[in-house]
Each structure stands twice: as C-alpha cells, then as structure tokens.
Amino acid sequence: MAAKRLLIIDDDPAITQTIERIAVGCRYEARSTTDAASFRQLVVNWRPTHIMLDLQMPGTDGVELLRELLPGPDAARIVIVSGVEGRVVEAARRLGIERKLNIAATLLKPFRAAELRHLLEEIAG
C-alpha cells in the first residue's frame, strides 16, 4: 500500500501535535506546521496525499491557502478543520469543490480523538 502523507496546518501547536499523533497511530506519515510559508513549501516538496487545513489563523487566511491548492488526479484529499460557524466551513467546502479540489470532509473544533481517528481511517483511500 502506498504511503499516506498527512500535512496539517493549524495556528494552535497543541492541535497540530494531537492530529499528528493520532494520524501516526492510523499509519499516516504526518507533518505539521503553524506557518503558511512552510505549508506551501511542504505541499510542493513533500507532496502530501492528505491535508488538514484550518480556516482561521492569525496572519493567514485558510481560505486563501485553499485557493492556492491545485486540482488534479494526484491532488491531496483535503479536510477543512475549523472552530468557526458551520456556514463558513460549508462555504469553504463549496469553494473547494467549485475549484475541483478533492474535499474529503470537514471537521469542526472541538473534536474528539475517536472522531478524528474514524475520519482519518475513512478518508485513507
């Protein structure tokens, strides 16, 4: 089976560490960052198969990062993660779909470890 590489961007290091730890337990290779420039570099150089993208980060707009991602047959499966209102998350999801990105799911904060584990197993495909 091909490696599953999960790239996580979130402004909260505790969240990124939690997601990373659970992802490793689900047999993903995982890398995380709180920095948009590092995220962009990892997307190009590490080529993740899956991305968990927070919408609200200081100094960076998660929706803008979503706009920068490219569609295609090898494009990463994207999970939009956020603690903002559900309508905002849904609008970001629709934007991703309109751009032909591979939007796999949304995950609202706060989430439970079991919920995240189930999601990661579900989208592993």
Side-chain angles (χ1 to χ4, degrees):
M1 177 160 69
K4 300 175 291 188
R5 293 181 307 279
L6 175 65
L7 176 56
I8 305 141
I9 183 164
D10 194 293
D11 62 322
D12 184 341
I15 296 279
T16 62
Q17 290 169 2
T18 298
I19 294 171
E20 196 168 339
R21 181 178 44 78
I22 292 169
V24 168
C26 292
R27 296 195 166 110
Y28 282 79
E29 292 176 36
R31 294 193 184 172
S32 60
T33 183
T34 58
D35 176 67
S38 296
F39 173 80
R40 290 178 182 106
Q41 186 176 32
L42 284 163
V43 166
V44 171
N45 297 329
W46 191 54
R47 298 182 47 97
T49 58
H50 297 76
I51 293 173
M52 294 196 87
L53 175 75
D54 186 18
L55 291 180
Q56 271 192 317
M57 294 173 287
T60 303
D61 181 359
V63 173
E64 188 58 38
L65 291 177
L66 194 63
R67 284 189 177 109
E68 293 175 19
L69 295 172
L70 300 174
D74 296 330
R77 301 188 82 194
I78 301 166
V79 176
I80 299 169
V81 182
S82 190
V84 299
E85 182 183 350
R87 287 189 310 224
V88 175
V89 174
E90 178 58 23
R93 186 185 75 78
R94 282 195 314 269
L95 170 72
I97 290 169
E98 287 171 10
R99 295 202 63 252
K100 302 201 181 335
L101 297 175
N102 192 354
I103 306 296
T106 58
L107 182 64
L108 297 178
K109 294 178 190 175
F111 54 83
R112 299 164 84 161
E115 181 183 8
L116 176 59
R117 193 173 301 110
H118 176 75
L119 175 63
L120 289 171
E121 290 168 355
E122 189 176 277
I123 67 167

